[in-house]
Amino acid sequence: MHVQQEQQSLESRYTPLAIEPKWQQIWAEQGLDQTPANQDQPKFYALSMFPYPSGNLHVGHTRNYVITDVVARLKRMQGHRVLQPMGWDAFGLPAENAAIDRGIHPAKWTAENITHMKDQLQLLGLSIDWDREITTCSPDYYRWTQWIFLEFFQAGLAYQKESAVNWDPVDQTVLANEQVDNEGRSWRSGAKVERKLLRQWFLKITDYAEQLLNDLDQLSGWPERVKLMQANWIGKSVGAYLEFPLIGLAQSIGVFTTRPDTAYGVTYLVLAPEHPLTRRITTPAQEAAVEAFVQEVTAQSELERTAEDRPKRGVPTGGKAINPFTGEAIPIWIADYVLYEYGTGAVMGVPAHDTRDFEFARTNRLPIEVVIVPEDQRQPPANPTEAYTEPGVLVNSGQFDQMPSDQAKAAIIQKAQTDGIGKARVQYRLRDWLISRQRYWGAPIPIIHCPQCGPVAVPAADLPVQLPENVSFSGRGVSPLAQLSEWINVPCPSCGTPAQRETDTMDTFIDSSWYFLRYADAQNAQAVFDPAKVNDWLPVDQYVGGIEHAILHLLYSRFFTKFLRDRGLLNFDEPFQRLLTQGMVQATTYQNPVTGKYVPPDQVDRGNPQDPDTGEPLEVLFEKMSKSKYNGIPPEAVTSKYGADTARLFTLFKAPPEKDLEWDAADVEGQFRFLNRVWRLVYEFTQNSQSAGGDSQPTSMTKAQKDLRRAIHTAIQAVSEDLEAHQFNTAVSELMKLSNALSDSACQDAVYLEGIETLVLLLAPFAPYIAEELWQALGHEQSVHRQNFPKADPEAMVLDEITLVIQILGKTRGTIQVPASANREELERYARDSELAQRYIQGKEIKKAIVVPGKLVNFVVA
RNA sequence: GGGGGCGUGGCGGAAUGGUAGACGCUGCGGACUUAAAAUCCGUUGACUGUUAAAAGUCGUGAGGGUUCAAGUCCCUCUGCCCCCACCA
């Protein structure tokens, strides 16, 4: 008895730094965060986008994990078996840069970062099942990344093609886009980056374009804007493929157009400089000019070529084609604005009806032929001053004259088909996914190139193709792997001839395109996963991550899921049921507006921010946390002073989850104060409760008791609804309201106890440590996190009286109290008879009374 | 150029077409204290008003509209933010 009392007694002061480590340990011992193995509860899979182990977590990262954890804890209390795993997206460029700059092996650098960041995560009270931790750079994981690649290869969806890379001519190395600055120079050598063609691996995501687009409709739990971004990225255009026969060659040039209705207005064709026909159609007179132009364009980096406001430049090839609709000969040009990768790499020029074509025709003195006029204007303008791009009626279009342009699209496609010169076609902006990286720190592509057999898959039994460890990182030359002849040279698995390994590694987006599947069966050493386990846990019920992954990561993951489903490994089409894209966390930065330099906050006098070097006044900004801006706030900055619960509440309360959040120390304190108030409520109650006795629910309640009970159950309802809608900020404010109602209440009875216990239970998903401590102090032995989340009792929320708003001509004039049971007529009578209404009506005639039951009465008076 | 979003007190932000500013922060006043911190109480959109109240007027970027009633719906404008971008 004595022992138990001691165990239960509560310190008078809230000491997070004492209670948090205690519960962390107890929970670990009890295995509270382990994923249940039972199948009798409904499953819930809560997932945060896994971090890149860059070295340090800041509160921008932890916001993500806290949101997921609140959802996971809530779902557990609501009777679900919950899977909440965590892992590391551990391949990638920064590790390799660290190796180049500091001589640390990427594996070591990454492992150290993971150790540190995992410690940081542990502080936050996240209910993560660490038994399922995965690390993408571990051979246990990338073995299966390679296995999945081979599935694509066997399905014919992984193929090789020549493609351009950023080439540093000084270091003789391939650069990632991030390693090329805005001026198109290499980050290390400063050399002007060139384009170079290499044979590289692609995944045929375009085969899934239509499905990836259509299935967006299934994703009712995704933000609209993410779905729109994906749809725009896939970029479906409906139009026609038309062929223009070449003069002097038994061949034609195919183009894609969304405007087949303008076919009679085609006065020239333009090819991309890389187009294979370019050199064949060029006439001797133009050869020199064309060659020079092709050289110039191909030497330019992607960045330069697509730079904004570039004039559209081109040269004539001298070659000519026939417009098969008009029968006229039209010139063929090449120009830098035509993209070889999109459509057919060739476009038809319709200057009269396309703004860009108009501009190009003007500059290059090409003919402009009007073939569409507005409906109310049947005469084509003699000298058009701009392109007419709207729908209209066809003119100068032979048999199609007078036809509305919308109708003409189909009619002209029909004619093209009949004449054998074209057909309807759907074109996507989405291109196949270039997955080759000429880097070390990634999963090696498991292919062996055999002079006899071509590219051959590494046999599954030989996986993983391990990364060799003894490698030098100079940042020069082709990839480190390509320099290791003993690693490269192997016999062909198929015929035994001497052959060579592929030296490219895979894009890290591949690693993250399937990690959410592996968590369902993370330890499996025999297979990529057990389909039964994956089909049980997946799809992810709630995915939480940054908006920056709205396109690529989410699209690739959807693609992998659909592909693996087609391979018979999965029985679902979409990996993520609900998606929450949380906003960034911003913190104060100090920037010198003259030099653009950022100054670390500890070198700045906040009252008078000046550059410590130059004395110039600094600009104070809120910006996304980043190393280069010195404004990253590590979670320890909060946890070491106020504890994890305060840190969690702050990030949840300060802003709605989708919005950016501004770091503010005063607001952090506000949350700490709130937790202190909750602590005191419970503490004082446990001190007084001996005298209050163990009354059960009184048979008849006083008004004060009824009011308190209503506040309790209203809070349950509001918190539940807000959590369901992911409005964590208002959910926390409801907790505060309940806490305020309890401290305002004079009761110290059974109703009050119900209120205190409800508050602690409602608080548990948000602030797990303090909730556990207080729950135990209230005399409970089982963890608060194993309790049922409270359910609102509708009876308790019934009001005897309601506040009725009185409006006169729509203007609120005040309120009156009326019985809640009053019907429409009674409400109107109460309102009309009220002193308040009489004062404003003053004998005027009531023309109309609008009664909104439970809310208001509005009198329209003359 | 295309697509999307947003504009509410000193600040972060609340408001199924129905009392705008919940909740919190800050500021101000007070209590407690020798004092401070912590804590507690009051107050904190602007204006008018009175000894004090009561009360009133205005107010959600600007202008118009729909409605008994608009922060919310519609139109025009304006400012800011994000994504994509020479996509034929």
Side-chain angles (χ1 to χ4, degrees), chain A residues 700-712:
Chain A
S700 71
M701 285 191 280
T702 64
K703 181 167 185 310
Q705 287 173 316
K706 273 190 182 171
D707 285 347
L708 184 57
R709 260 205 111 221
R710 193 177 313 111
I712 294 165

Side-chain angles (χ1 to χ4, degrees), chain A residues 70 85 151 249 263 294 441 505 521 618 778 784 803-804 812 824:
Chain A
V70 172
E151 287 287 295
L249 275 172
V294 170
W441 196 231
T505 54
D521 192 15
L618 293 171
L778 286 165
V784 71
T803 302
L804 188 71
T812 299
R824 278 173 171 276

Side-chain angles (χ1 to χ4, degrees), chain A residues 149 158 201-203 433-437 445 505-507 510:
Chain A
F149 172 86
W201 286 92
F202 287 80
L203 291 188
W433 177 8
L434 168 54
I435 60 156
S436 280
R437 297 291 180 270
I445 293 176
T505 54
M506 288 185 243
D507 181 1
I510 302 258

